[in-house]
Amino acid sequence: MNASTLTRGSQAGKRKAAPAIEGAARAGFTARGVIYLLVGLLALQIAFGDGGKQADQGGALQEVAGKPFGEVVLWALAVGLVGMALWRLSEAVFGAAGPDGAKAKKRLASAARAVFYGFVAYSVISFAAGAGGSGSSDGKSRDATAKAMELPAGQWLVGVAGVVIGCAGVWMAVQAVRRKYHKHMRLGAMSHRVRQAVDVTGVGGGVSRGLVFAVAGGFAVRAAWDYEPDKAKGMDDTLRSFTETPAGPWLLVLIAVGLMLFGLFSFAMARYRKV
């Protein structure tokens, strides 16, 4: 069996799975949009003095659970995130959309995203099932950091992980500013106003999301440097740290609005993303 035969088999498998893959991807982007929109809203409340809620995935799920039909929405989010993980897995197996989608680098990136969204989906499923799978991101970050530091060369592992997360955040922000998402979207299906709105949400949301990741990575590096796991921060504590800057709560307001924009951008991706 030669390479061309394998390629044809991969393409045939992808065509057969295309409708299901597309539906899974669009459901996943919708679920991601809901979560980021809620996290942004919770961060905005914290910026204006309501510090009793956690601005992370766990806080977003708690908000959903407290609303009418909340349990139904939670399971819908879980299904959407499972769909996102399966879509990324299909990209790793069959290749992503686009001329370079079958390259090894793209497949590895898709595999990493599949693992990430798999963990997120598991966390939401655990929460929806009442197993408490989506607790505070801050507690999880500290616990994970402490366990990692107990390993041989654990301090170095945490430091490298922090650098990777920080660099990923910078990369997200730069990619957003450069509007690299254009190559993944069906721009011809958008009106001029829709495209402008997508750019506002894509750039503003991507920069805010990237900044949060970059700062969280910086806290992980600091925790490793000082050998103090408690200095690692999840999304909630990372967002709260923006209020400690000279800009006060107004920087958090900007970040919160940006995360809400990213939620809206995810909805646009659900509609216009090439799958």
Side-chain angles (χ1 to χ4, degrees):
M1 184 179 291
N2 56 32
S4 61
T5 302
L6 288 172
T7 301
R8 286 196 298 271
S10 176
Q11 290 173 344
K14 187 174 181 179
R15 283 195 297 271
K16 290 179 180 178
I21 291 173
E22 181 174 351
R26 302 200 188 288
F29 280 117
T30 302
R32 188 182 75 175
V34 170
I35 290 173
Y36 268 97
L37 194 60
L38 289 173
V39 170
L41 285 169
L42 290 169
L44 202 59
Q45 292 178 30
I46 290 171
F48 287 114
D50 184 2
K53 298 178 180 179
Q54 59 188 66
D56 55 15
Q57 178 183 296
L61 296 180
Q62 289 172 1
E63 284 293 301
V64 171
K67 299 295 186 290
F69 304 105
E71 186 175 354
V72 175
V73 177
L74 283 175
W75 282 108
L77 291 175
V79 169
L81 291 168
V82 168
M84 178 73 91
L86 292 175
W87 168 53
R88 291 302 191 181
L89 180 61
S90 76
E91 288 190 327
V93 174
F94 300 117
D100 60 345
K103 289 184 178 179
K105 182 175 69 173
K106 294 286 187 179
R107 289 176 184 263
L108 287 173
S110 293
R113 290 185 178 109
V115 172
F116 171 77
Y117 281 109
F119 277 116
V120 175
Y122 173 77
S123 179
V124 177
I125 290 171
S126 298
F127 185 92
S134 265
S136 167
S137 60
D138 304 315
K140 289 181 178 179
S141 295
R142 288 190 292 269
D143 291 344
T145 303
K147 290 179 180 178
M149 283 188 176
E150 293 173 359
L151 299 172
Q155 189 174 6
W156 285 99
L157 289 174
V158 172
V160 169
V163 170
V164 170
I165 294 171
C167 289
V170 173
W171 180 82
M172 290 176 190
V174 171
Q175 293 292 89
V177 171
R178 297 176 65 191
R179 303 180 187 182
K180 285 292 187 177
Y181 53 83
H182 278 184
K183 65 182 180 181
H184 298 300
M185 304 190 80
R186 297 181 287 111
L187 298 178
M190 304 177 192
S191 67
H192 179 66
R193 285 190 176 183
V194 169
R195 184 167 173 174
Q196 285 182 320
V198 167
D199 280 340
V200 169
T201 58
V203 175
V207 169
S208 294
R209 181 184 183 225
L211 183 58
V212 172
F213 272 78
V215 173
F219 282 126
V221 171
R222 180 182 175 186
W225 181 269
D226 295 339
Y227 205 78
E228 294 183 26
D230 286 348
K231 289 187 177 180
K233 298 182 185 292
M235 178 173 278
D236 181 59
D237 270 354
T238 298
L239 288 171
R240 291 175 190 271
S241 71
F242 290 115
T243 63
E244 300 169 4
T245 65
W250 294 109
L251 180 55
L252 179 55
V253 169
L254 289 175
I255 298 297
V257 171
L259 293 177
M260 293 166 65
L261 288 175
F262 188 78
L264 297 176
F265 176 70
S266 295
F267 296 149
M269 293 288 274
R271 173 68 175 83
Y272 295 105
R273 179 64 152 82
K274 296 176 184 176
V275 179

